mmCIF file of all heavy atoms in Angstrom:
data_model
loop_
_atom_site.group_PDB
_atom_site.id
_atom_site.type_symbol
_atom_site.label_atom_id
_atom_site.label_comp_id
_atom_site.label_asym_id
_atom_site.label_seq_id
_atom_site.Cartn_x
_atom_site.Cartn_y
_atom_site.Cartn_z
ATOM 1 N N PHE A 310 -10.544 -6.730 -12.062
ATOM 2 C CA PHE A 310 -9.635 -5.520 -12.057
ATOM 3 C C PHE A 310 -8.250 -6.002 -11.548
ATOM 4 O O PHE A 310 -8.130 -6.781 -10.587
ATOM 5 C CB PHE A 310 -10.212 -4.517 -10.970
ATOM 6 C CG PHE A 310 -9.297 -3.268 -10.845
ATOM 7 C CD1 PHE A 310 -9.387 -2.313 -11.852
ATOM 8 C CD2 PHE A 310 -8.416 -3.178 -9.943
ATOM 9 C CE1 PHE A 310 -8.602 -1.043 -11.715
ATOM 10 C CE2 PHE A 310 -7.647 -1.995 -9.735
ATOM 11 C CZ PHE A 310 -7.644 -0.970 -10.725
ATOM 12 N N MET A 311 -7.274 -5.595 -12.262
ATOM 13 C CA MET A 311 -5.876 -5.830 -12.001
ATOM 14 C C MET A 311 -5.023 -4.677 -12.187
ATOM 15 O O MET A 311 -5.261 -3.985 -13.194
ATOM 16 C CB MET A 311 -5.363 -7.021 -12.928
ATOM 17 C CG MET A 311 -4.036 -7.677 -12.519
ATOM 18 S SD MET A 311 -2.589 -6.615 -12.789
ATOM 19 C CE MET A 311 -2.383 -6.825 -14.509
ATOM 20 N N VAL A 312 -4.137 -4.417 -11.348
ATOM 21 C CA VAL A 312 -3.200 -3.247 -11.480
ATOM 22 C C VAL A 312 -1.831 -3.687 -10.956
ATOM 23 O O VAL A 312 -1.758 -4.449 -10.004
ATOM 24 C CB VAL A 312 -3.843 -2.085 -10.662
ATOM 25 C CG1 VAL A 312 -3.891 -2.448 -9.133
ATOM 26 C CG2 VAL A 312 -2.989 -0.704 -10.897
ATOM 27 N N MET A 313 -0.850 -3.054 -11.531
ATOM 28 C CA MET A 313 0.540 -3.221 -10.965
ATOM 29 C C MET A 313 1.206 -1.817 -11.099
ATOM 30 O O MET A 313 0.873 -0.986 -12.028
ATOM 31 C CB MET A 313 1.359 -4.299 -11.661
ATOM 32 C CG MET A 313 1.567 -4.026 -13.127
ATOM 33 S SD MET A 313 2.451 -5.387 -13.816
ATOM 34 C CE MET A 313 1.297 -5.999 -15.028
ATOM 35 N N GLY A 314 2.038 -1.523 -10.116
ATOM 36 C CA GLY A 314 2.672 -0.275 -10.153
ATOM 37 C C GLY A 314 3.975 -0.247 -9.365
ATOM 38 O O GLY A 314 4.304 -1.212 -8.732
ATOM 39 N N THR A 315 4.595 0.962 -9.443
ATOM 40 C CA THR A 315 5.881 1.137 -8.720
ATOM 41 C C THR A 315 5.992 2.553 -8.372
ATOM 42 O O THR A 315 5.277 3.454 -8.947
ATOM 43 C CB THR A 315 7.057 0.634 -9.458
ATOM 44 O OG1 THR A 315 8.307 0.743 -8.758
ATOM 45 C CG2 THR A 315 7.167 1.480 -10.847
ATOM 46 N N GLY A 316 6.858 2.915 -7.395
ATOM 47 C CA GLY A 316 7.028 4.357 -7.018
ATOM 48 C C GLY A 316 8.233 4.502 -6.196
ATOM 49 O O GLY A 316 8.871 3.495 -5.773
ATOM 50 N N SER A 317 8.477 5.665 -5.775
ATOM 51 C CA SER A 317 9.668 5.984 -4.878
ATOM 52 C C SER A 317 9.232 7.110 -3.926
ATOM 53 O O SER A 317 8.404 7.988 -4.117
ATOM 54 C CB SER A 317 10.840 6.370 -5.752
ATOM 55 O OG SER A 317 10.483 7.504 -6.342
ATOM 56 N N TRP A 318 10.008 7.160 -2.833
ATOM 57 C CA TRP A 318 10.039 8.226 -1.887
ATOM 58 C C TRP A 318 11.420 8.860 -1.810
ATOM 59 O O TRP A 318 12.352 8.185 -1.487
ATOM 60 C CB TRP A 318 9.611 7.710 -0.505
ATOM 61 C CG TRP A 318 9.673 8.744 0.648
ATOM 62 C CD1 TRP A 318 9.375 10.028 0.602
ATOM 63 C CD2 TRP A 318 10.277 8.538 1.950
ATOM 64 N NE1 TRP A 318 9.560 10.594 1.752
ATOM 65 C CE2 TRP A 318 10.148 9.877 2.656
ATOM 66 C CE3 TRP A 318 10.774 7.414 2.570
ATOM 67 C CZ2 TRP A 318 10.594 9.923 3.988
ATOM 68 C CZ3 TRP A 318 11.167 7.610 3.890
ATOM 69 C CH2 TRP A 318 11.064 8.784 4.547
ATOM 70 N N ASP A 319 11.500 9.995 -2.279
ATOM 71 C CA ASP A 319 12.836 10.777 -2.109
ATOM 72 C C ASP A 319 12.879 11.292 -0.711
ATOM 73 O O ASP A 319 12.269 12.317 -0.562
ATOM 74 C CB ASP A 319 12.889 11.907 -3.270
ATOM 75 C CG ASP A 319 12.904 11.382 -4.666
ATOM 76 O OD1 ASP A 319 13.293 10.224 -4.837
ATOM 77 O OD2 ASP A 319 12.494 12.083 -5.555
ATOM 78 N N LYS A 320 13.683 10.695 0.081
ATOM 79 C CA LYS A 320 13.788 11.041 1.443
ATOM 80 C C LYS A 320 14.262 12.448 1.622
ATOM 81 O O LYS A 320 15.336 12.843 1.063
ATOM 82 C CB LYS A 320 14.602 10.098 2.179
ATOM 83 C CG LYS A 320 14.095 8.645 2.377
ATOM 84 C CD LYS A 320 14.779 7.815 3.276
ATOM 85 C CE LYS A 320 15.786 6.820 2.531
ATOM 86 N NZ LYS A 320 16.557 6.017 3.537
ATOM 87 N N PRO A 321 13.647 13.319 2.493
ATOM 88 C CA PRO A 321 14.105 14.623 2.780
ATOM 89 C C PRO A 321 15.568 14.490 3.350
ATOM 90 O O PRO A 321 16.432 15.427 3.031
ATOM 91 C CB PRO A 321 13.121 15.226 3.738
ATOM 92 C CG PRO A 321 11.935 14.439 3.460
ATOM 93 C CD PRO A 321 12.361 13.034 3.077
ATOM 94 N N THR A 322 15.850 13.643 4.254
ATOM 95 C CA THR A 322 17.087 13.449 4.821
ATOM 96 C C THR A 322 17.622 12.027 4.447
ATOM 97 O O THR A 322 17.235 11.025 5.091
ATOM 98 C CB THR A 322 17.127 13.620 6.394
ATOM 99 O OG1 THR A 322 16.477 14.875 6.715
ATOM 100 C CG2 THR A 322 18.415 13.517 7.050
ATOM 101 N N LEU A 323 18.393 11.972 3.458
ATOM 102 C CA LEU A 323 18.796 10.658 2.971
ATOM 103 C C LEU A 323 19.544 9.794 4.055
ATOM 104 O O LEU A 323 19.391 8.640 3.987
ATOM 105 C CB LEU A 323 19.775 10.895 1.700
ATOM 106 C CG LEU A 323 19.912 9.511 0.841
ATOM 107 C CD1 LEU A 323 18.664 8.955 0.405
ATOM 108 C CD2 LEU A 323 20.784 9.963 -0.344
ATOM 109 N N GLY A 324 20.184 10.442 4.919
ATOM 110 C CA GLY A 324 20.936 9.633 5.936
ATOM 111 C C GLY A 324 20.128 9.060 7.029
ATOM 112 O O GLY A 324 20.638 8.228 7.828
ATOM 113 N N ASN A 325 18.683 9.282 7.035
ATOM 114 C CA ASN A 325 17.816 8.733 7.936
ATOM 115 C C ASN A 325 17.123 7.510 7.350
ATOM 116 O O ASN A 325 16.465 7.614 6.345
ATOM 117 C CB ASN A 325 16.803 9.695 8.427
ATOM 118 C CG ASN A 325 17.411 10.762 9.334
ATOM 119 O OD1 ASN A 325 18.481 10.791 9.736
ATOM 120 N ND2 ASN A 325 16.640 11.867 9.522
ATOM 121 N N PRO A 326 17.088 6.320 8.090
ATOM 122 C CA PRO A 326 16.391 5.204 7.530
ATOM 123 C C PRO A 326 14.941 5.434 7.785
ATOM 124 O O PRO A 326 14.437 6.161 8.765
ATOM 125 C CB PRO A 326 16.898 4.094 8.315
ATOM 126 C CG PRO A 326 17.487 4.558 9.547
ATOM 127 C CD PRO A 326 18.024 6.003 9.258
ATOM 128 N N MET A 327 14.006 4.785 6.942
ATOM 129 C CA MET A 327 12.627 4.798 7.222
ATOM 130 C C MET A 327 12.281 4.064 8.471
ATOM 131 O O MET A 327 12.873 2.904 8.702
ATOM 132 C CB MET A 327 11.877 4.185 5.934
ATOM 133 C CG MET A 327 10.364 4.262 6.068
ATOM 134 S SD MET A 327 9.643 3.541 4.531
ATOM 135 C CE MET A 327 8.816 2.085 5.195
ATOM 136 N N THR A 328 11.465 4.691 9.359
ATOM 137 C CA THR A 328 11.128 4.031 10.547
ATOM 138 C C THR A 328 9.659 3.773 10.734
ATOM 139 O O THR A 328 9.215 3.107 11.735
ATOM 140 C CB THR A 328 11.559 4.864 11.764
ATOM 141 O OG1 THR A 328 11.025 6.220 11.703
ATOM 142 C CG2 THR A 328 13.109 4.993 11.796
ATOM 143 N N GLN A 329 8.832 4.438 9.951
ATOM 144 C CA GLN A 329 7.305 4.269 10.079
ATOM 145 C C GLN A 329 6.643 4.612 8.829
ATOM 146 O O GLN A 329 7.198 5.131 7.890
ATOM 147 C CB GLN A 329 6.884 5.299 11.251
ATOM 148 C CG GLN A 329 7.318 6.786 10.771
ATOM 149 C CD GLN A 329 7.068 7.754 11.913
ATOM 150 O OE1 GLN A 329 5.957 7.688 12.601
ATOM 151 N NE2 GLN A 329 7.935 8.700 12.112
ATOM 152 N N PHE A 330 5.358 4.231 8.721
ATOM 153 C CA PHE A 330 4.531 4.582 7.593
ATOM 154 C C PHE A 330 3.016 4.267 7.904
ATOM 155 O O PHE A 330 2.792 3.615 8.882
ATOM 156 C CB PHE A 330 4.895 3.940 6.253
ATOM 157 C CG PHE A 330 4.570 2.473 6.229
ATOM 158 C CD1 PHE A 330 3.379 2.071 5.595
ATOM 159 C CD2 PHE A 330 5.531 1.523 6.699
ATOM 160 C CE1 PHE A 330 3.195 0.651 5.371
ATOM 161 C CE2 PHE A 330 5.213 0.163 6.599
ATOM 162 C CZ PHE A 330 4.056 -0.299 6.014
ATOM 163 N N TYR A 331 2.203 5.049 7.277
ATOM 164 C CA TYR A 331 0.803 4.632 7.482
ATOM 165 C C TYR A 331 0.097 4.630 6.128
ATOM 166 O O TYR A 331 0.546 5.135 5.078
ATOM 167 C CB TYR A 331 0.155 5.689 8.417
ATOM 168 C CG TYR A 331 -0.161 7.105 7.856
ATOM 169 C CD1 TYR A 331 -1.380 7.330 7.197
ATOM 170 C CD2 TYR A 331 0.694 8.124 8.094
ATOM 171 C CE1 TYR A 331 -1.713 8.605 6.740
ATOM 172 C CE2 TYR A 331 0.375 9.317 7.615
ATOM 173 C CZ TYR A 331 -0.767 9.590 6.975
ATOM 174 O OH TYR A 331 -1.064 10.861 6.462
ATOM 175 N N ILE A 332 -1.018 3.921 6.058
ATOM 176 C CA ILE A 332 -1.740 3.632 4.934
ATOM 177 C C ILE A 332 -3.161 4.348 5.092
ATOM 178 O O ILE A 332 -3.698 4.195 6.187
ATOM 179 C CB ILE A 332 -2.044 2.203 4.701
ATOM 180 C CG1 ILE A 332 -0.714 1.412 4.585
ATOM 181 C CG2 ILE A 332 -2.929 1.913 3.414
ATOM 182 C CD1 ILE A 332 -0.587 0.463 5.604
ATOM 183 N N GLN A 333 -3.643 5.117 4.140
ATOM 184 C CA GLN A 333 -4.931 5.653 4.228
ATOM 185 C C GLN A 333 -5.678 5.427 2.881
ATOM 186 O O GLN A 333 -5.004 5.253 1.810
ATOM 187 C CB GLN A 333 -4.933 7.167 4.565
ATOM 188 C CG GLN A 333 -4.594 8.040 3.485
ATOM 189 C CD GLN A 333 -4.556 9.499 3.826
ATOM 190 O OE1 GLN A 333 -4.405 9.837 4.999
ATOM 191 N NE2 GLN A 333 -4.716 10.316 2.777
ATOM 192 N N ASN A 334 -6.990 5.502 2.953
ATOM 193 C CA ASN A 334 -7.842 5.320 1.822
ATOM 194 C C ASN A 334 -8.169 6.678 1.359
ATOM 195 O O ASN A 334 -8.851 7.498 2.133
ATOM 196 C CB ASN A 334 -9.058 4.540 2.213
ATOM 197 C CG ASN A 334 -10.069 4.280 1.078
ATOM 198 O OD1 ASN A 334 -10.081 5.185 0.132
ATOM 199 N ND2 ASN A 334 -11.008 3.490 1.283
ATOM 200 N N SER A 335 -7.824 7.208 0.297
ATOM 201 C CA SER A 335 -8.107 8.563 -0.180
ATOM 202 C C SER A 335 -9.512 8.830 -0.627
ATOM 203 O O SER A 335 -9.879 9.888 -0.952
ATOM 204 C CB SER A 335 -7.063 9.068 -1.207
ATOM 205 O OG SER A 335 -7.340 8.392 -2.471
ATOM 206 N N SER A 336 -10.282 7.740 -0.727
ATOM 207 C CA SER A 336 -11.640 7.773 -1.200
ATOM 208 C C SER A 336 -12.702 7.559 -0.244
ATOM 209 O O SER A 336 -13.760 7.351 -0.493
ATOM 210 C CB SER A 336 -11.811 6.739 -2.386
ATOM 211 O OG SER A 336 -10.800 6.849 -3.340
ATOM 212 N N GLY A 337 -12.359 7.448 0.995
ATOM 213 C CA GLY A 337 -13.250 7.226 2.021
ATOM 214 C C GLY A 337 -12.583 6.508 3.237
ATOM 215 O O GLY A 337 -11.335 6.659 3.431
ATOM 216 N N ASN A 338 -13.227 5.676 3.919
ATOM 217 C CA ASN A 338 -12.731 4.793 4.925
ATOM 218 C C ASN A 338 -12.576 3.423 4.481
ATOM 219 O O ASN A 338 -13.270 2.914 3.607
ATOM 220 C CB ASN A 338 -13.615 4.759 6.206
ATOM 221 C CG ASN A 338 -13.625 6.040 7.025
ATOM 222 O OD1 ASN A 338 -12.512 6.786 6.912
ATOM 223 N ND2 ASN A 338 -14.672 6.401 7.690
ATOM 224 N N HIS A 339 -11.505 2.701 5.171
ATOM 225 C CA HIS A 339 -11.474 1.132 4.937
ATOM 226 C C HIS A 339 -12.651 0.607 5.830
ATOM 227 O O HIS A 339 -12.827 1.016 6.909
ATOM 228 C CB HIS A 339 -10.105 0.699 5.484
ATOM 229 C CG HIS A 339 -8.897 1.262 4.799
ATOM 230 N ND1 HIS A 339 -8.611 1.024 3.517
ATOM 231 C CD2 HIS A 339 -7.892 2.033 5.216
ATOM 232 C CE1 HIS A 339 -7.549 1.713 3.143
ATOM 233 N NE2 HIS A 339 -7.101 2.200 4.123
ATOM 234 N N ILE A 340 -13.298 -0.335 5.163
ATOM 235 C CA ILE A 340 -14.409 -0.968 5.806
ATOM 236 C C ILE A 340 -14.020 -2.118 6.759
ATOM 237 O O ILE A 340 -13.035 -2.709 6.569
ATOM 238 C CB ILE A 340 -15.409 -1.497 4.692
ATOM 239 C CG1 ILE A 340 -16.120 -0.383 3.950
ATOM 240 C CG2 ILE A 340 -16.453 -2.535 5.154
ATOM 241 C CD1 ILE A 340 -17.062 -0.766 2.911
ATOM 242 N N ARG A 341 -14.817 -2.191 7.748
ATOM 243 C CA ARG A 341 -14.751 -3.270 8.736
ATOM 244 C C ARG A 341 -14.446 -4.617 7.948
ATOM 245 O O ARG A 341 -15.109 -4.871 6.960
ATOM 246 C CB ARG A 341 -15.893 -3.347 9.667
ATOM 247 C CG ARG A 341 -15.905 -4.503 10.613
ATOM 248 C CD ARG A 341 -17.179 -4.660 11.325
ATOM 249 N NE ARG A 341 -17.166 -5.699 12.415
ATOM 250 C CZ ARG A 341 -17.312 -6.933 12.184
ATOM 251 N NH1 ARG A 341 -17.593 -7.420 11.043
ATOM 252 N NH2 ARG A 341 -17.145 -7.719 13.143
ATOM 253 N N GLY A 342 -13.427 -5.307 8.424
ATOM 254 C CA GLY A 342 -13.066 -6.651 7.832
ATOM 255 C C GLY A 342 -11.857 -6.446 7.044
ATOM 256 O O GLY A 342 -11.234 -7.474 6.720
ATOM 257 N N SER A 343 -11.439 -5.276 6.663
ATOM 258 C CA SER A 343 -10.194 -5.041 5.914
ATOM 259 C C SER A 343 -9.008 -5.489 6.833
ATOM 260 O O SER A 343 -9.080 -5.347 8.012
ATOM 261 C CB SER A 343 -9.975 -3.556 5.548
ATOM 262 O OG SER A 343 -10.964 -3.214 4.612
#
Side-chain angles (χ1 to χ4, degrees):
F310 178 81
M311 192 286 284
V312 62
M313 62 181 119
T315 185
S317 65
W318 173 43
D319 294 336
K320 295 190 256 180
T322 307
L323 193 56
N325 290 346
M327 185 176 113
T328 60
Q329 59 187 317
F330 71 97
Y331 75 90
I332 301 120
Q333 76 178 26
N334 177 344
S335 68
S336 308
N338 285 332
H339 297 296
I340 287 181
R341 180 186 184 275
S343 295

